[in-house]
Every structure is written in structure tokens, then in C-alpha cells.
Amino acid sequence: MTPELSWTSKVICCFPGSTMAVVIPTLLRGFVGAICAQAASSRLTPSALRHLTLSSVMKSKRKTDHLERTADVVRREVVSAAKVCGAADESPSVKRLRLLVADKDFSFKAGQWVDFFIPGVSVVGGFSICSSPRLLEQERMIELAVKYTNHPPALWIHNQCTLDSEVAMRVGGEFFFDPQPADASRNLVLIAGGVGINPLLSILRHAADLHRERANKGRGYEIGTIRLFYSAKNTSELLFKKNILDLVNEFPEKIACSLHVTKQTTQISADLKPYITEGRITEKEIRYHISKETLFYICGPPPMTDFFSKELESSHVPKEHIYFEKWW
């Protein structure tokens, strides 16, 4: 049975001229009052409300804030309470969190992110979910992996977050893989740099879940082949190595990976060596996998994302087959 959180009572905030309500945990009641006042005075339409960024109450001068960067991106209306139920170091600079979300209205598509609200921290974080939707369906859990930076939400996660810490989250994002059972089979090429692996791992895990379901039940979406290209500074910063290689070994006919390191200074372990290439991911490697049945998902530093999206376009891959996410 799913344990109940200690602050799941909610405030329903309704808006003039609209039947839509935004559901928010009691913990955020102070934020909600300001949001409701702003919406009422501005007479926000339901369409405009979807893009409400809370900037009036989450004040920050950083031009690269998550809420500023994603102000025009569609979000769900529900803000859900969550409790930290697990934490571990995924690498020397990245902490992995597991969060319990009891609210049954909370759901996401593989590849999406969350607005991350921390009591007492005025800046809202934005973190891609790295777990699969199936984990949430079965256990009411999601996973995040957050790199250490001086940004207040990341600092809180690395320095103050403990088991049972309480936060709130809202799902957003237009970068996702969510095929329906009758959709045409597609191959996937996933191109990741650094912590850009997070949404792509969610997609990889979701694709594996879909393949298991079809293999076990004889129905559901038929996934094609999946190829992951993942680059990091060194092997210690290649996140989720074991999870990735476990999937490669479980489904060798479906999933393959090419792990790249750009500044490796130590010896590469024997178990990793077959999968490691020293140097950056090249356009030649990616071009080899172009076909009319293939979708490309790219997430990493902006120069990397721009480079591969332009290379694919110049190779006549349709724009609707190229998806990318920029996070920093």
C-alpha cells in the first residue's frame, strides 16, 4: 500500500471566466495566494494560465533560470506533493534522488521534466525525470539526477536534502516519446551529452518497458531498434552506466550503446572497454543510422544540440523526426 504524505491536502484555485482549477499542495499556500491574485487581476484565460511561470513570487535575476527559459512551454496544471525516499551519489558531481508522489493525478511522458518547488528556496528548479513512467504507475516513484552547481535548487539537493524532505513538483515539457499501441514502429537514436542523459534514459527505459510488454503479452507498441550515443568527460561522469549496460545485455537485438569520453586520464575498466570510444560523438556515426523509420532525440549542451540537429537537417532528416532539449 502506498504510504500517505503528511501534507497532501490541497488548495483549489479557480479563475474568473474559466472552469479550470489549479490544484496545489497546502505547503505552497503562500505561493498560491499571490498567483491567484495575479490571475484574477489579469483575467488570465485558460490558455495563458498554462504558461503561468510563478515569476511574480519566485523572484530571481538570473537570465538562465528554468522558469524564464521554459516560460512558453506547456505545463500540467497540477502541482503535486512529493517526499524524498532515496538519495545516492550517481557520480562525483551528480546526486540521484528517488521521490514518492502519492497524488494519482501526477503523471508524465518519458523525456519530460518537472518544476521543482522547495520550501524556503525562492528559486524554482527544473530537472528532467530519468525514470520510466512505468515506475510511477507501479510504485508511485520518480527519479531525478541533479548535477552540483551554485544554483539554489541544486545546492539544496546536494547540501540540505535528506530522506523525508518534502517538496512539490509540476510536470512540463514538449520533449518526449509517447507512442500509442497502433502507431508505426520507429527506430530511436538517442544522443546525450553530460547530464543530458536524464530524459534520454527515461525514453530508453520506457522503450524497454514497451518491448517487454509486447514480448510478454503479444500486444502493444512494437519498438524498433534503439541506439544510444552518450558522451561525458570521463567514465566516472558517465551516469547510469550499469542501468544502460543491463538493458543492452537484456535486449541485445534491440538496444545498443556507444559511450564516449573526451578527457579520460585513468585506465578504462575491462567491463566498460567494449562500449567506450575516446573522443567526441561524430556526425559520421550518427549519419550511419539515418532512415525514414528513425526518430532522433538529442539532449546536451547547446553547441552539441545545435550541431547534431543541423547535421541531421542537412542530411535531409525531416524536422518532425528531430527532437532536442537544451538545459544549460
Side-chain angles (χ1 to χ4, degrees):
M1 195 169 174
T2 303
E4 291 296 321
L5 300 188
S6 62
W7 49 286
T8 52
S9 55
K10 296 167 184 170
V11 177
I12 307 296
C13 185
C14 298
F15 296 86
S18 170
T19 57
M20 188 173 68
V22 179
V23 184
I24 311 211
T26 305
L27 179 68
L28 300 180
R29 191 186 299 262
F31 297 160
V32 174
I35 297 167
C36 291
Q38 180 193 27
S41 64
S42 304
R43 297 194 176 276
L44 289 175
T45 65
S47 176
L49 181 62
R50 291 196 312 183
H51 303 300
L52 187 63
T53 65
L54 306 184
S55 56
S56 62
V57 284
M58 303 300 175
K59 296 188 183 298
S60 173
K61 300 299 182 185
R62 295 178 76 252
K63 291 183 179 179
T64 55
D65 274 349
H66 165 67
L67 290 181
E68 288 184 36
R69 291 197 307 267
T70 61
D72 294 328
V73 178
V74 174
R75 290 165 158 80
R76 291 176 60 89
E77 281 76 33
V78 175
V79 179
S80 300
K83 182 178 283 190
V84 176
C85 56
D89 291 331
E90 184 62 35
S91 81
S93 64
V94 174
K95 180 161 282 190
R96 176 165 39 91
L97 291 186
R98 179 169 275 213
L99 299 114
L100 172 67
V101 191
D103 185 356
K104 296 297 198 301
D105 291 329
F106 181 93
S107 65
F108 73 97
K109 298 172 183 177
Q112 289 187 302
W113 40 256
V114 291
D115 295 329
F116 196 81
F117 302 92
I118 305 164
V121 177
S122 63
V123 180
V124 178
F127 306 119
S128 289
I129 301 168
C130 57
S131 51
S132 73
R134 188 67 51 89
L135 180 66
L136 179 66
E137 292 166 9
Q138 294 179 344
E139 301 182 35
R140 301 310 307 166
M141 304 278 189
I142 71 161
E143 290 184 350
L144 308 175
V146 179
K147 188 177 180 69
Y148 180 89
T149 69
N150 288 324
H151 198 232
L155 280 176
W156 180 86
I157 286 170
H158 279 262
N159 298 334
Q160 294 176 255
C161 176
T162 61
L163 290 182
D164 295 330
S165 287
E166 295 173 339
V167 297
M169 299 185 296
R170 175 177 55 188
V171 171
E174 296 158 359
F175 177 85
F176 56 79
F177 178 63
D178 184 38
Q180 301 308 299
D183 287 350
S185 179
R186 297 290 189 186
N187 303 319
L188 301 181
V189 171
L190 312 176
I191 306 170
V195 289
I197 187 63
N198 283 333
L200 299 183
L201 181 65
S202 178
I203 290 172
L204 179 64
R205 286 168 158 169
H206 184 48
D209 286 337
L210 292 172
H211 183 57
R212 286 190 197 98
E213 182 179 30
R214 187 171 176 89
N216 294 335
K217 298 181 180 179
R219 63 178 186 273
Y221 180 74
E222 183 176 2
I223 190 75
T225 60
I226 308 147
R227 182 79 191 211
L228 171 67
F229 293 90
Y230 177 23
S231 177
K233 185 171 64 175
N234 53 52
T235 53
S236 68
E237 292 294 341
L238 283 169
L239 310 179
F240 307 109
K241 294 183 287 290
K242 183 180 186 306
N243 305 96
I244 292 167
L245 295 183
D246 283 349
L247 290 174
V248 170
N249 291 325
E250 183 180 357
F251 303 116
E253 78 289 357
K254 284 286 182 183
I255 301 174
C257 74
S258 179
L259 307 177
H260 288 246
V261 290
T262 58
K263 296 180 180 178
Q264 185 74 19
T265 58
T266 59
Q267 188 170 352
I268 298 169
S269 62
D271 59 325
L272 276 182
K273 219 163 194 176
Y275 306 96
I276 295 288
T277 299
E278 297 202 44
R280 299 184 185 278
I281 304 166
T282 67
E283 61 270 33
K284 183 179 178 181
E285 291 174 275
I286 304 303
R287 206 178 294 127
Y288 179 78
H289 296 279
I290 292 175
S291 76
K292 63 182 181 180
E293 295 85 17
T294 301
L295 305 179
F296 294 84
Y297 286 82
I298 312 164
C299 188
M304 174 187 177
T305 303
D306 291 340
F307 175 78
F308 283 113
S309 59
K310 288 173 183 174
E311 280 293 322
L312 290 167
E313 282 188 40
S314 68
S315 298
H316 309 293
V317 175
K319 284 188 177 182
E320 61 270 23
H321 287 187
I322 305 168
Y323 304 86
F324 57 86
E325 186 84 284
K326 297 179 185 178
W327 267 112
W328 60 94

